[in-house]
């Protein structure tokens, strides 16, 4: 298989404009003859569904939530980047492009990233027009703040609820199209299979989560806007129900899965407290602007703190190790996410971690409070401190906050070309579900930007090209054999799951998988561990299919059955992630291979051998997958080693 | 901690439900309320019983999925928080906790603690948007919006659509939810063009869904996880009356 | 005129009717109380009877009084409609509910308070209004002019301790009803502003919920004490 990224020819800044002109159009009267299915209603899905319906296509949008408004995009706090240069501080489309490509450690396509930066400005205009209440200056102009990985202020925000406001904007546009009748909205409906026939995506098979009914839906094109797969780690900042099922089942039909091992670990999350823990909560990265990260210098002191014999505030200044400031004097506590996370892990591995579990470091605001006064700190971080206190029951104004890294975002995903089409014609992937724009590491405030760019400003152009090519007649009826076979596959998998009647609840398998992934394919990885993990995952898979216990039946609302299907897919994905991590013999961005580091323990990229996208092709149950390489070409940026010393 | 639970169990909308008692012995005060339910469900599965169905997703107080009526209050004893943000340390060892689904004619029970809140979606579909197609927006800074206006719009826009306002209201009224959207878009210049139509349509849909009328007890605002103010209800009343008296829609 | 019926039958329209009638009834209370203060004059009821005469013969007052009767009826009937609707909005009640944690008692019990007030108004009107219009009230003569001596009726009625008690309790109900109702009426009309709402709340809480009912309650007590020679 030859991977064709379809990056247009020409100078970087003209690629998208030229490409748009080259794309075939569907004339307005013909648009109503095409049906498009949009799976997922987060930022990418809702914006795509609304925009396509506005153009005149018949859209069917589905979500497993009870409402389109609940997608996990809603939880994004910080903001959304856009190269508006409203601050007159030297921002430009090229600078946003450059920061994103560098931040991604040179593992993303130049063409895609440039387009992302280019349309970023339109996103802000669109959202403001929808009534998104972005923060404003007193004079009435939009406010900006700065974010990690950038030296300009280009982040637009709506308090600490930017994701929510952007999603509600897209949801309102979607709701408007539901009223016009151009979007048919299916809630509490989960995709369980994709129908591919004659080399094209033809539709999907879903389960109604209330009645258990298995149904087929036919369309000319299918858009997967189903988010990331961070929940493969069980504990992550993702929502409980976020899953990889749609992407994974597409993968099993031939859609390539790209860079699965690229996961982002966010350094400032509230630490795990016990085995019962179901989810990790992110604390905004902005806290590192004023908080100082430290652990005790000695294991003995750390031990005493863990046992509650010593309070952190009692520890003398000279007994504390401000390890980020010590190792990275110029960036200090503001090193990028991956570096901060890894270092926290190291000190905890040395036995110097705090909290009862030993898996936490301090983020201390005492100096900032002394310097700026409590009022100032309260104004900046009041709501975050409150949230922390609600969860941990500690007052961060008086005792240092405890933080630990947690899985936050997955840069990998379904391989797509410049048109966002997967390797299956007619099947598209948008937002976090695809792999395209963030390389090996995503910058803060860029996820929202990408989801909306894909949905509002890319797919409305690119999907038309495909539809115009195939023509309105190229669609299967839902009673075609391909659909019946898919329904059969889905039904038999459900029956198989229900008939195991083992002893272990689904969650326990998920938790076990998470631990394996976290220990061996998490913040830092090595060949030996990865090989071990592969074996463990295979064993877990075998145990799952012989010992999982699911109560109830299919013909009702059954949350354990829903969970079981998702965990089954996560287990298979876990193995592919391990394979991908093993294959990538370099360290880059979120992927840190212990064998590949500089003398002082920093990530060591290998551009000569690994400047490629690793796209994996499914070969059948328990068969090793085939690797396809899409070589990344850099014509506009110079590849450099990141240094934050 | 030991906890006695009385949980509403109901197989589906056509079957009557009842409160069922469960005992949990090893509950950590640091657990969140939903993690306590995870423990319960784990035990139920091991005993071969069906798990308690409940809506939940983000578990950080923003998606609006979780919806439990705990010991007589929407989202439990804490104010300004959702069920997922409630921790067991808010209870005492040996407490009995009664957990019910939201109760309202417009929110029929689907199963156990899960209710159907699609009425909220239909209210938004009736007019909770600005009619602007993708790509037709002008520059974001072209219309100045004073910070105080943007802040007030944001206060209203913070609504997570959980339905606690309906659950807590003695009349099962959705006024706080509906008014939050009407108000947000009435304040912002972008929403002004359609503000009359919007108020008329959204109120009509709210009534059609079978929600009760507002008697201004203030319970909604107290129980709202985002503490949305009653000011927005007044603004919606104003918008609605103004629309009814001055719009050129004589049909209704 | 479809828009009129539609507006008035919407949940917001119904609340507007409640609000307008309620606020009108509140203003009536001021007039009623001011007039009845004549009872405190130690002139054997002359001022009171002259006031009563004025109230029953002035054409403007007579017109307004019909508006008043209508308001009472509409307010009560609309309350009934709303209460039934609101109750139907939650067909299955909570097994355990703790509303006192989130709202004042009066705001949740306007229907009960209103029912008490309706019963009171009927008794009150039977005792005085009915007697005045259709009963046999003794006559009094001031400056050669004949007046119905309603003051005598008042004295007879308020000589009974249980009747006084009924009045006092009913005035407590008026206080609670208005403590919520007055400010709530403005809310239904959409009148809410950071500058003026506190004023409305203060007026509602102190004047309508306390001073007016207290003044009304003082009347039967005063008459009772006087009739029994304690004052």
């Amino acid at each position: 298989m030859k991977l064709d990224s379809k990056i247009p020819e020409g100078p970087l800044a003209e690629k998208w404009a030229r490409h748009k002109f080259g794309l075939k159009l569907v004339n307005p009267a013909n648009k109503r003859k095409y049906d498009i299915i949009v799976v997922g209603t987060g930022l990418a899905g809702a914006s795509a569904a609304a925009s396509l319906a506005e153009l005149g296509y018949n859209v069917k949008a589905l979500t497993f939530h009870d409402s389109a408004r609940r997608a996990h995009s809603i939880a994004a706090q910080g903001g959304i980047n856009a190269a508006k240069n409203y601050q007159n501080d030297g921002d430009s489309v090229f600078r946003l492009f450059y920061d994103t490509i560098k931040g991604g450690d040179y593992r993303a396509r130049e063409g895609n990233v440039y387009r992302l930066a280019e349309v970023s400005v339109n996103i802000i205009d669109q959202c403001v027009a929808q009534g998104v209440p972005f923060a404003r200056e007193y004079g009435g102009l939009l406010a900006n703040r700065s974010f990690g990985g950038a030296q300009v202020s280009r982040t637009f925000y709506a308090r600490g609820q930017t994701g929510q406001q952007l999603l509600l904007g897209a949801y309102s546009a979607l709701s408007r199209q539901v009223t016009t009748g151009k979007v048919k909205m299916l809630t509490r409906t989960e995709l369980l299979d994709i129908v591919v026939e004659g080399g094209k995506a033809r539709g999907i098979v879903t389960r109604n989560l209330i009645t258990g009914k298995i149904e087929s839906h036919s369309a000319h094109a299918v858009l997967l806007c189903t988010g990331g797969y961070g929940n493969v780690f069980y504990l992550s900042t993702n929502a409980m129900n976020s899953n990889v099922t749609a992407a994974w089942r597409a993968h099993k039909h031939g859609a390539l899965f790209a860079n699965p091992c690229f996961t982002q670990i966010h350094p400032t999350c509230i630490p795990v407290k016990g085995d019962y823990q179901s989810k990790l909560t992110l604390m905004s990265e902005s806290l590192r602007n004023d908080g100082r990260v430290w652990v005790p210098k000695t294991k003995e002191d750390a031990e005493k703190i863990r046992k509650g014999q010593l309070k952190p505030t009692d520890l003398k200044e000279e007994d504390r190790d401000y390890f980020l400031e010590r190792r990275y004097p110029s960036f200090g506590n503001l090193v990028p996410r991956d570096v901060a996370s890894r270092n926290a892990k190291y000190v905890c591995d040395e036995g110097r971690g705090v909290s009862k579990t030993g898996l936490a470091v301090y983020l201390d605001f005492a100096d900032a409070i002394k310097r700026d006064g409590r009022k100032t700190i309260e104004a900046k971080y009041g709501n975050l401190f409150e949230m922390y206190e609600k969860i941990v029951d500690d007052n961060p104004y008086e005792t240092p906050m405890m933080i630990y890294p947690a899985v936050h975002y997955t840069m990998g995903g379904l391989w797509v070309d410049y048109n966002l089409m997967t390797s299956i014609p007619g099947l598209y992937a948008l937002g976090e579900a695809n792999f395209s724009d963030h390389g090996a590491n995503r910058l803060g405030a860029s996820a929202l930007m990408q989801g909306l760019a894909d949905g509002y400003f890319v797919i409305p152009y690119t999907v038309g090209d495909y539809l115009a090519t195939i023509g309105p007649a190229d669609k299967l009826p839902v009673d075609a054999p391909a659909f019946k076979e898919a329904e059969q596959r889905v039904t038999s998998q459900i029956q198989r799951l229900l008939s195991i009647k083992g002893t272990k609840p689904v969650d326990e398998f998920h938790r076990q998988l998470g631990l394996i992934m976290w220990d061996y394919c998490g913040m830092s990885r090595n060949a030996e561990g990865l090989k071990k993990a592969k074996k463990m995952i295979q064993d877990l898979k075998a145990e799952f299919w012989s010992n999982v216990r699911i109560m109830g039946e299919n013909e009702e609302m059954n949350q354990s059955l829903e969970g079981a299907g998702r965990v089954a897919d996560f287990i298979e994905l876990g193995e592919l992630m391990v394979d991908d991590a093993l294959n990538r013999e370099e360290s880059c961005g979120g992927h840190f291979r212990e064998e590949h580091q500089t003398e002082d323990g920093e990530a060591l990229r290998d551009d000569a051998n690994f400047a490629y996208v690793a796209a994996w092709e499914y070969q059948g149950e328990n068969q090793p997958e085939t690797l396809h390489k899409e070589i990344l070409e850099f014509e506009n940026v110079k590849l450099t080693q990141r240094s934050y010393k | 901690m030991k906890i006695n639970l009385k949980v509403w169990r109901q197989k589906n909308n056509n079957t009557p439900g009842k409160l069922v008692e469960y005992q949990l012995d090893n509950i950590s005060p640091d657990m969140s309320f939903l993690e306590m339910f995870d423990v319960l469900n784990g035990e139920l599965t091991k005993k071969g019983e069906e798990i308690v169905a409940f809506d939940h997703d983000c578990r950080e107080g923003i998606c609006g999925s979780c919806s439990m009526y705990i010991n007589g209050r929407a989202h439990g004893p804490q104010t300004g928080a959702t069920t997922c943000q409630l921790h067991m340390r808010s209870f005492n060892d040996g407490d009995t906790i009664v957990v019910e689904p939201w109760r309202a004619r417009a929110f029929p029970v689907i199963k156990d603690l899960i209710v159907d809140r699609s009425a909220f979606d239909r209210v938004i579909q009736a007019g909770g948007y600005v009619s602007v197609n993708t790509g037709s927006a002008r520059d974001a800074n072209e219309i100045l919006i004073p910070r105080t206006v943007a802040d007030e719009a944001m206060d209203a826009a913070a609504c997570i659509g959980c339905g606690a306002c309906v659950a807590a209201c003695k009349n099962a009224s959705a006024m706080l939810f509906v008014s939050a959207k009407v108000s947000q878009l009435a304040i912002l210049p972008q929403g002004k063009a359609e503000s009359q139509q919007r108020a008329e349509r959204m109120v009509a849909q709210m009534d059609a869904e079978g929600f009760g009328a507002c008697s201004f007890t203030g319970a909604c605002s107290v129980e709202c996880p985002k503490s949305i103010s009653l000011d927005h209800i007044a603004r919606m009343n104003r918008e609605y009356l103004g629309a009814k008296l001055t719009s050129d829609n004589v049909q209704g | 005129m479809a828009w009129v019926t539609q507006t008035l039958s919407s949940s917001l329209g119904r609340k507007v009717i409640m609000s307008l009638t309620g606020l009108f009834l509140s203003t009536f209370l001021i007039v009623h109380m001011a007039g009845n203060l004549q009872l405190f004059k130690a002139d054997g009821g002359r001022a009171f009877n002259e006031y009563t005469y004025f109230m029953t013969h002035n054409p403007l007052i007579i017109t307004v009084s019909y508006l008043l009767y209508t308001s009472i009826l509409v307010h009560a009937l609309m309350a009934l409609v709303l209460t039934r609707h609101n109750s139907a909005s939650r067909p299955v009640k909570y097994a355990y509910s703790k509303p006192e944690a989130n709202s004042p008692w009066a705001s949740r019990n306007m229907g009960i308070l209103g029912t008490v007030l309706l019963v009171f108004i009927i008794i009150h009107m039977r005792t005085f209004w009915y007697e005045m219009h259709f009963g046999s009230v003794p006559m009094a003569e001031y400056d050669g002019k004949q007046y119905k001596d309603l003051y005598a009726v008042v004295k007879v009625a308020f000589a009974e301790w249980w009747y006084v008690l009924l009045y006092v309790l009913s005035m407590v109900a008026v206080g609670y009803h208005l403590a919520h109702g007055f400010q709530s009426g403005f809310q239904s009309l959409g009148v809410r502003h950071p500058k003026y709402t506190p004023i409305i709340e203060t007026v509602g809480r102190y004047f309508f919920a306390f001073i007016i009912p207290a003044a009304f309650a003082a009347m039967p007590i005063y008459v009772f004490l006087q009739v029994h020679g304690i004052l």
Side-chain angles (χ1 to χ4, degrees):
Chain A
M1 184 188 289
K2 170 86 177 69
L3 286 180
D4 181 5
S5 63
K6 302 213 174 87
I7 301 285
E9 294 299 319
L12 189 60
E14 288 169 29
K15 281 184 194 289
W16 178 228
R18 283 190 189 196
H19 187 69
K20 276 195 286 188
F21 185 72
L23 291 172
K24 285 196 194 117
L25 297 174
V26 178
N27 94 50
N30 277 345
K31 288 203 175 87
R32 70 175 77 94
K33 296 180 188 160
Y34 290 100
D35 299 331
I36 301 173
I37 291 172
V38 179
V39 187
T41 57
L43 284 181
S47 60
S51 304
L52 293 170
E54 285 162 10
L55 288 173
Y57 296 112
N58 306 312
V59 177
K60 206 178 244 186
L62 55 125
T63 169
F64 59 69
H65 288 103
D66 68 326
S67 162
R69 65 181 296 155
R70 308 222 191 274
H72 197 54
S73 307
I74 208 154
Q77 300 171 355
I80 176 166
N81 288 330
K84 280 283 195 186
N85 192 29
Y86 282 155
Q87 306 305 323
N88 195 31
D89 58 358
D91 199 8
S92 64
V93 169
F94 191 86
R95 190 177 294 281
L96 176 54
F97 152 77
Y98 181 80
D99 288 348
T100 307
I101 222 116
K102 179 185 170 202
D105 223 357
Y106 308 99
R107 289 295 174 263
R109 290 182 194 140
E110 281 190 341
N112 277 60
V113 177
Y114 193 87
R115 174 177 67 189
L116 175 67
E118 202 177 330
V119 301
S120 69
V121 296
N122 305 109
I123 295 172
I124 303 302
D125 298 343
Q126 184 63 29
C127 295
V128 166
Q130 287 168 345
V132 170
F134 281 119
R136 301 260 168 180
E137 305 292 352
Y138 283 105
L141 295 168
L142 287 157
N144 286 124
R145 60 178 165 211
S146 56
F147 235 77
Q151 286 168 306
V152 293
S153 285
R154 62 159 78 97
T155 305
F156 294 79
Y157 61 99
R159 298 216 179 120
Q161 287 144 265
T162 317
Q164 181 202 24
Q165 293 312 312
L166 296 176
L167 181 62
L168 292 183
Y171 162 75
S172 73
L174 178 64
S175 298
R176 178 171 156 243
Q177 293 308 315
V178 172
T179 304
T180 65
K182 289 308 287 182
V183 171
K184 188 170 168 8
M185 189 69 225
L186 303 173
T187 56
R188 294 200 195 267
T189 303
E190 182 166 29
L191 179 150
L192 288 184
D193 212 349
I194 287 165
V195 179
V196 182
E197 199 261 358
K200 291 182 193 136
R202 302 296 186 170
I204 58 171
V205 174
T206 60
R207 178 169 179 269
N208 179 320
L209 298 186
I210 299 175
T211 62
K213 194 170 175 217
I214 305 297
E215 280 173 296
S216 288
H217 309 266
S218 167
H220 294 89
V222 176
L223 276 50
L224 299 183
C225 312
T226 50
Y229 49 87
N231 270 351
V232 69
F233 292 88
Y234 185 67
L235 288 180
S236 79
T237 64
N238 285 9
M240 297 299 287
N241 298 304
S242 302
N243 66 77
V244 76
T245 290
W248 192 252
R249 299 200 178 171
H251 177 57
K252 285 183 151 182
H253 284 293
L256 302 188
F257 209 107
N259 298 336
C261 79
F262 285 170
T263 48
Q264 180 168 78
I265 316 274
H266 197 290
T268 52
C269 298
I270 297 177
V272 178
K273 267 175 309 182
D275 302 333
Y276 51 79
Q277 188 112 7
S278 60
K279 138 102 199 174
L280 295 172
T281 305
L282 179 82
M283 305 288 290
S284 171
E285 184 165 336
S286 60
L287 289 170
R288 284 195 285 145
N289 280 312
D290 284 295
R292 297 180 70 195
V293 179
W294 65 273
V295 288
K297 260 194 186 142
T298 65
K299 272 203 250 184
E300 292 68 35
D301 281 344
E303 176 113 24
K304 275 187 203 157
I305 286 179
R306 288 200 288 270
K307 285 185 178 154
Q309 295 159 343
L310 188 68
K311 277 199 275 184
T313 41
D314 294 340
L315 209 63
K316 284 198 229 67
E317 202 60 28
E318 60 266 27
D319 295 329
R320 303 175 177 193
D321 177 15
Y322 294 90
F323 55 93
L324 290 179
E325 296 172 23
R326 173 171 58 80
R327 293 196 60 189
Y328 307 96
S330 68
F331 273 70
N333 296 298
L334 284 173
V335 290
R337 288 178 177 175
D338 51 339
V339 179
S341 296
R342 219 155 33 236
N343 279 281
K345 176 184 171 3
Y346 291 153
V347 293
C348 292
D349 287 350
E350 285 164 22
R352 295 193 288 143
V354 294
S355 104
K356 275 180 203 154
T357 58
L359 291 175
V361 299
Y362 288 124
L363 182 64
D364 200 335
F365 290 86
D367 286 340
I369 292 172
K370 217 181 283 166
R371 183 182 69 229
D372 301 335
R374 183 174 160 148
K375 272 240 168 73
T376 312
I377 296 300
E378 210 173 314
K380 274 191 192 168
Y381 310 115
N383 58 340
L384 291 169
F385 279 32
E386 235 171 74
M387 179 167 95
Y388 179 85
E389 192 169 352
K390 232 177 237 167
I391 296 173
V392 183
D393 202 23
D394 256 353
N395 180 352
Y397 292 103
E398 282 155 19
T399 180
M401 216 178 240
M402 287 182 289
I403 53 162
Y404 200 65
V407 175
H408 180 51
Y409 186 89
T410 50
M411 282 73 69
L414 289 176
W415 181 90
V416 291
D417 63 16
Y418 192 67
N419 293 326
L420 303 181
M421 197 194 282
T422 65
S423 48
I424 299 174
L427 182 70
Y428 292 79
L430 282 67
E432 193 181 346
N434 73 29
F435 87 104
S436 69
D437 297 351
H438 304 295
N441 177 49
R442 178 179 64 75
L443 289 184
S446 282
L448 302 181
M449 173 172 69
Q450 187 223 336
L452 290 180
D454 288 358
Y456 282 135
F457 296 110
V458 179
I459 200 73
Y461 293 92
T462 58
V463 82
D465 183 59
Y466 172 74
L467 296 176
T469 311
I470 62 167
D474 198 358
K475 187 187 160 199
L476 282 190
V478 284
D479 50 10
F483 279 102
K484 292 296 145 203
E485 282 161 26
E487 285 179 24
Q488 190 49 47
R489 269 199 306 276
V490 166
T491 311
S492 66
Q493 194 201 26
I494 289 172
Q495 288 318 320
R496 190 174 158 207
L497 283 168
L498 287 170
S499 64
I500 296 169
K501 296 192 195 316
T503 58
K504 216 151 115 177
V506 176
D507 274 2
E508 286 188 24
F509 284 101
H510 196 176
R511 204 167 272 155
Q512 258 178 292
L513 173 69
L515 267 180
I516 299 170
M517 296 306 292
W518 181 246
D519 287 345
Y520 302 107
C521 196
M523 269 184 283
S524 93
R525 303 146 176 191
N526 61 54
E528 194 192 342
L530 287 166
K531 281 175 194 152
K532 194 168 154 195
K534 192 172 161 73
K535 176 80 182 52
M536 289 169 86
I537 296 169
Q538 285 166 344
D539 292 347
L540 189 70
K541 185 177 173 185
E543 195 199 342
F544 178 87
W545 285 102
S546 59
N547 194 28
V548 70
R549 178 163 209 170
I550 302 155
M551 300 310 302
E553 50 198 56
N554 176 57
E555 286 71 29
E556 60 174 351
M557 173 168 267
N558 189 335
Q559 291 180 319
S560 27
L561 177 63
E562 294 165 27
R566 296 169 190 169
V567 170
D569 292 337
F570 273 134
I571 293 176
E572 295 181 5
L573 166 76
E575 199 180 332
L576 181 64
M577 287 172 71
V578 167
D579 284 342
D580 187 43
L582 261 173
N583 168 68
R584 193 166 281 277
E585 292 277 357
E586 65 161 349
S587 296
C588 62
H591 170 67
F592 187 83
R593 279 287 298 269
E594 288 162 14
E595 301 92 331
H596 304 284
Q597 50 182 313
T598 59
E599 271 173 23
D600 45 2
E602 299 304 328
L604 193 60
R605 240 178 30 231
D606 179 355
D607 294 327
N609 296 307
F610 288 96
Y612 65 75
V613 175
W616 298 88
E617 187 184 1
Y618 187 76
Q619 299 294 341
E621 185 90 25
N622 298 325
Q623 298 297 315
E625 302 209 357
T626 310
L627 172 66
H628 300 274
K629 295 178 184 176
E630 180 199 331
I631 305 296
L632 292 165
E633 281 157 30
F634 296 93
E635 294 164 352
N636 299 278
V637 294
K638 195 169 155 285
L639 276 58
T640 55
Q641 200 71 33
R642 299 184 306 168
S643 169
Y644 301 96
K645 289 281 172 189
Chain B
M1 287 170 78
K2 275 191 180 163
I3 294 292
N4 303 307
L5 279 174
K6 284 187 180 170
V7 182
W8 185 261
R9 301 301 308 259
Q10 183 172 347
K11 194 158 175 54
N12 53 44
N13 191 243
N14 309 318
T15 319
K18 61 172 193 292
L19 285 170
V20 177
E21 291 196 41
Y22 300 103
Q23 268 208 349
L24 290 174
D25 291 337
N26 275 317
I27 296 301
S28 155
D30 287 332
M31 268 181 200
S32 76
F33 199 78
L34 296 185
E35 283 165 350
M36 185 265 291
F37 263 84
D38 293 341
V39 171
L40 171 67
N41 280 342
E43 290 187 7
L44 287 179
T45 306
K46 284 181 183 163
K47 275 196 281 183
E49 291 176 39
E50 262 200 67
I51 61 169
V52 181
F54 61 95
D55 264 328
H56 66 104
D57 199 29
C58 77
R59 297 210 179 184
E60 50 186 277
I62 192 76
C63 75
S65 294
C66 57
S67 50
M68 294 184 186
Y69 202 78
I70 302 162
N71 273 353
R73 296 186 64 186
H75 292 304
Q78 262 183 338
T79 53
T82 55
T83 299
C84 63
Q85 292 174 304
L86 177 67
H87 284 73
M88 294 311 293
R89 66 178 86 94
S90 299
F91 300 92
N92 297 315
D93 194 15
D95 272 2
T96 296
I97 307 174
V98 185
V99 188
E100 297 175 76
W102 288 168
R103 299 239 184 252
R105 185 168 61 155
F107 289 169
V109 172
I110 292 176
K111 185 176 187 179
D112 296 340
L113 300 171
I114 296 184
V115 297
D116 178 0
R117 284 170 287 190
S118 52
F120 271 11
D121 282 336
R122 290 188 291 273
V123 170
I124 297 294
Q125 284 157 13
Y129 46 76
V130 175
S131 297
V132 52
N133 280 2
T134 303
S136 51
R138 40 182 181 163
D139 187 85
N141 254 347
E142 217 166 274
I143 304 174
L144 297 180
I145 304 177
R147 186 172 178 165
T148 47
V149 173
D151 279 349
E152 196 172 355
M154 181 62 214
D155 287 342
C159 169
I160 59 173
C162 64
C165 46
V166 175
C169 175
K170 75 177 188 69
N171 307 332
S173 167
M175 286 286 277
L176 194 65
F177 170 79
V178 181
S179 69
K181 190 47 77 184
V182 168
S183 181
Q184 176 205 342
L185 296 179
I187 302 169
L188 293 171
Q190 286 81 4
K192 284 254 160 61
E194 296 166 280
S195 64
Q196 291 199 324
Q197 219 182 32
R198 178 181 306 117
E200 291 186 327
R201 286 188 184 168
M202 287 180 74
V203 169
Q205 188 62 38
M206 171 181 84
D207 286 350
E209 295 290 347
F211 292 108
C214 175
S215 45
F216 191 42
T217 67
C220 52
S221 183
V222 172
E223 301 294 13
C224 173
K226 298 291 157 189
S227 306
I228 290 173
S229 157
L230 299 175
D231 291 357
H232 302 294
I233 295 185
R235 183 175 287 110
M236 177 163 85
N237 288 338
R238 203 152 65 225
E239 288 286 326
Y240 178 77
L241 276 181
K244 282 296 177 197
L245 292 174
T246 63
S247 80
D248 49 13
N249 175 12
V250 290
Q251 298 308 319
Chain C
M1 294 299 276
W3 70 273
V4 178
T5 48
Q6 284 213 11
T7 306
L8 295 182
S9 61
S10 72
S11 61
L12 267 63
R14 285 175 178 162
K15 295 304 293 191
V16 168
I17 294 173
M18 288 304 283
S19 157
L20 291 175
T21 50
L23 290 174
F24 174 66
L25 292 172
S26 303
T27 55
F28 160 73
L29 283 184
I30 305 175
V31 179
H32 193 31
M33 184 204 68
N36 284 12
L37 287 177
Q38 314 302 328
L39 281 173
F40 291 108
K41 264 198 177 166
D43 60 357
R46 176 176 176 166
F48 182 73
N49 283 337
E50 280 173 354
Y51 158 72
T52 319
Y53 182 87
F54 170 76
M55 293 300 276
T56 44
H57 289 79
N58 181 302
L60 184 69
I61 302 274
I62 292 170
T63 316
V64 174
S65 71
Y66 284 106
L67 190 59
L68 178 73
Y69 307 143
T70 317
S71 286
I72 294 173
L73 286 177
V74 170
H75 195 79
L77 285 175
M78 196 49 86
L80 191 68
V81 170
L82 278 165
T83 307
R84 286 174 55 103
H85 171 72
N86 288 343
S87 171
S89 298
R90 177 165 292 134
V92 184
K93 310 292 174 207
Y94 289 109
Y96 176 32
S97 196
K98 227 162 95 178
E100 65 275 14
N102 57 38
S103 50
W105 180 85
S107 72
R108 299 192 310 271
N109 292 283
M110 292 297 277
I112 293 169
L113 291 166
T115 310
V116 169
L117 294 184
L118 187 64
V119 172
F120 166 76
I121 290 170
I122 292 167
I123 296 172
H124 176 64
M125 288 183 75
R126 172 67 188 84
T127 313
F128 300 114
W129 179 87
Y130 179 85
E131 287 299 318
M132 185 73 182
H133 287 84
F134 309 110
S136 49
V137 180
M139 301 301 282
E141 190 183 306
Y142 310 119
D143 301 333
K145 203 173 161 195
Q146 291 289 318
Y147 292 85
K148 282 190 177 178
D149 190 0
L150 190 65
Y151 185 69
V153 182
V154 170
K155 276 203 295 191
V156 173
F158 291 159
E160 301 287 346
W161 67 267
W162 59 267
Y163 200 77
V164 173
L165 185 68
L166 172 81
Y167 265 62
V168 172
L169 289 179
S170 298
M171 287 311 113
V172 172
V174 169
Y176 275 108
H177 198 74
L178 289 185
H180 177 70
F182 184 73
Q183 50 161 320
S184 178
F186 286 91
Q187 173 86 5
S188 296
L189 294 175
V191 179
R192 192 172 167 99
H193 190 278
K195 282 183 182 157
Y196 309 113
T197 298
I199 301 175
I200 292 170
E201 282 174 356
T202 310
V203 171
R205 198 170 299 137
Y206 295 101
F207 186 68
F208 280 102
F210 184 71
I211 296 179
I212 287 200
F216 273 122
M219 291 164 193
I221 295 172
Y222 177 78
V223 175
F224 177 84
L225 295 177
Q226 226 181 22
V227 171
H228 292 278
I230 301 167
L231 262 178

